[in-house]
Amino acid sequence: MVKRLTPPKTNNKRALFGIAHADDLILFAGGTAISLVNAGWEVAVVRATDDRWDSYELDERETIRRNKDEFDSALLNIGINQIYELGMKTDLLGDASEVELRKEFIRIIRDFKPYLTVTFDPDSHLYEDNQDHRLVGIAMAEANWAAGFDKHPNAGSKQLDPYLPMANWYFGREVAEPTHYFDVTKVFSKAVQAAANHKTMLINMARQLELKATTDEKKLDITSQVEKSPATFVNKIMQTSRAKKVKGVKYAEIFRVRDSVSLIENLAKVER
């Protein structure tokens, strides 16, 4: 049975979210991010790609610009203003070096010094069809331990001191072995409003659904509706991914959690 998650009790209230694309944070774990901010946490986000292809009937330059502006607006709406941009080409991480991406995450972990990291579950490959998501999850999961090795290099010319986060929370389209859930019912509406900022991506998502309908010789005209009211569209998507996940909880975000809290506390008792 999955256990309920709450913001960890610590004086180091820093959380780092690692995502592939601009809309990943809100669509996968937006309620959790909002809850951490509301609890007084400093939250930073690292986005691996530039999302240059995630639009409909826009060129790459305009797509990059709009998705960046909408990403910044969405995060500001929920109280996040620290962003690390890696600027890698979207939907091509399958050909990128996992080791080089790991170095980037090591650099950011050492620089930001989070207690908590949150990213894609590297062990949920059975349910994940996006190579960008997979590589981000794998690289950041490795960085979560490699950042503590003094001989593991970080990206950049300046080598930073080793540092390790205490806890790692992993999300996914369908977490293979979930251990915890975060009740996001109270902040669900705020998450939807933040997600609605991603208008460019949501229009493209609607367009993909129209194409699938055409494949089945059905008529679906929702792109124009999303252009007028992106919040209505994304509300349905986010309800589907969060409702009825946990008995008695209206909206929940699901995670596989790994942390060293109990081990550290037991070792500290032995030292005393």
Side-chain angles (χ1 to χ4, degrees), residues 2 27 29 36 39 47 49 61 66 68 87 91 109 111 117 126 138 140 157 163 165 173 210 226 258 261:
V2 292
L27 292 185
L36 289 169
R47 178 174 66 139
T49 77
R61 179 176 295 182
R66 290 195 188 187
K68 170 59 175 170
D91 299 333
I109 288 172
D111 176 66
T117 63
L126 179 64
I138 292 169
M140 192 163 182
S157 58
Y163 178 88
R173 294 192 193 278
E210 289 178 344
V226 176
R258 295 189 64 187
V261 175

Side-chain angles (χ1 to χ4, degrees), residues 54-193:
D54 201 341
S55 70
Y56 176 57
E57 294 187 335
L58 297 173
D59 63 30
E60 287 189 5
R61 179 176 295 182
E62 182 63 11
T63 300
I64 291 171
R65 186 192 70 79
R66 290 195 188 187
N67 283 331
K68 170 59 175 170
D69 288 348
E70 293 166 8
F71 179 47
D72 291 348
S73 295
L75 294 190
L76 282 175
N77 280 3
I78 61 174
I80 298 174
N81 55 27
Q82 186 158 351
I83 304 170
Y84 295 89
E85 294 278 13
L86 300 186
M88 302 174 75
K89 291 183 179 181
T90 195
D91 299 333
L92 295 176
L93 293 192
D95 288 334
S97 167
E98 184 268 320
V99 172
E100 292 305 313
L101 183 57
R102 183 182 70 197
K103 289 180 183 178
E104 294 287 356
F105 287 133
I106 290 174
R107 173 181 64 84
I108 293 167
I109 288 172
R110 289 173 176 173
D111 176 66
F112 184 63
K113 295 179 171 57
Y115 175 95
L116 166 67
T117 63
V118 188
T119 191
F120 291 96
D121 189 344
D123 294 324
S124 288
H125 290 182
L126 179 64
Y127 309 103
E128 179 56 71
D129 60 1
N130 190 302
Q131 291 292 329
D132 288 1
H133 294 178
R134 291 184 177 189
L135 195 69
V136 166
I138 292 169
M140 192 163 182
E142 282 204 328
N144 281 333
W145 61 262
F149 282 50
D150 62 1
K151 285 171 281 298
H152 260 289
N154 54 248
S157 58
K158 182 180 179 181
Q159 291 305 299
L160 305 176
D161 291 337
Y163 178 88
L164 286 178
M166 177 69 81
N168 319 121
W169 297 358
Y170 297 106
F171 58 76
R173 294 192 193 278
E174 192 73 38
V175 179
E177 295 184 359
T179 61
H180 291 74
Y181 73 92
F182 207 112
D183 186 344
V184 299
T185 306
K186 292 182 179 179
V187 298
F188 179 77
S189 295
K190 187 171 184 178
V192 168
Q193 291 304 315

